[in-house]
Amino acid sequence: MANIKQTLDELMTLDGAMCAAVVDSASGMMLGSAGSGVDLEVAAAGNTEVIRSKMKTMRSLGLNDVIEDILITLGKQYHLIRLVTSARGGGLFLYLALNKSTANLALARRQLSDIEA
């Protein structure tokens, strides 16, 4: 991955981007953030729990697979969580909040995948 600032700058160029963060999924701490509209400290910690919960559920179900991304659809926003390829067993994730009325979800997911790679 490019450095954290470059990654965040690229995420914020996406149509509808409100804010973004690079998060350490082991601790829930942000390594960097950009934009506004969401308390990113709270989002980083809370979405770390979302990932942990999903991984626990997958283990309970005996699923031998990895999480690529998680989409949370709200009334006015999309929240995307993308696990970094080398970190799918734990490590880093990208968090992106988008304005639902101005974002193209399919394009945002594709670009998020490209940025993560």
Side-chain angles (χ1 to χ4, degrees):
M1 179 169 44
N3 75 41
I4 292 170
K5 182 179 179 347
Q6 290 170 326
T7 299
L8 292 168
D9 289 346
E10 196 168 347
L11 288 170
M12 292 305 295
T13 65
L14 300 176
D15 288 342
M18 297 170 46
C19 56
V22 177
V23 182
D24 176 349
S25 62
S27 66
M29 294 186 65
M30 280 191 312
L31 302 177
S33 65
S36 61
V38 173
D39 184 334
L40 288 169
E41 293 282 347
V42 173
N47 286 311
T48 298
E49 292 304 314
V50 169
I51 293 168
R52 288 178 184 162
S53 178
K54 185 59 188 173
M55 292 174 110
K56 180 180 176 183
T57 301
M58 289 171 58
R59 281 190 302 273
S60 296
L61 293 171
L63 300 177
N64 186 21
D65 210 340
V66 296
I67 300 169
E68 290 184 7
D69 63 33
I70 297 171
L71 166 64
I72 300 169
T73 305
L74 304 177
K76 297 179 183 177
Q77 299 173 359
Y78 295 120
H79 291 224
L80 292 165
I81 301 165
R82 177 83 187 184
L83 278 69
V84 175
T85 302
S86 62
R88 288 199 176 128
L92 299 177
F93 68 89
L94 304 175
Y95 169 74
L96 177 64
L98 298 162
N99 181 321
K100 196 173 178 180
S101 66
T102 58
N104 178 322
L105 180 58
L107 186 57
R109 287 187 71 220
R110 172 66 186 256
Q111 290 176 311
L112 189 58
S113 174
D114 291 345
I115 291 167
E116 174 259 333

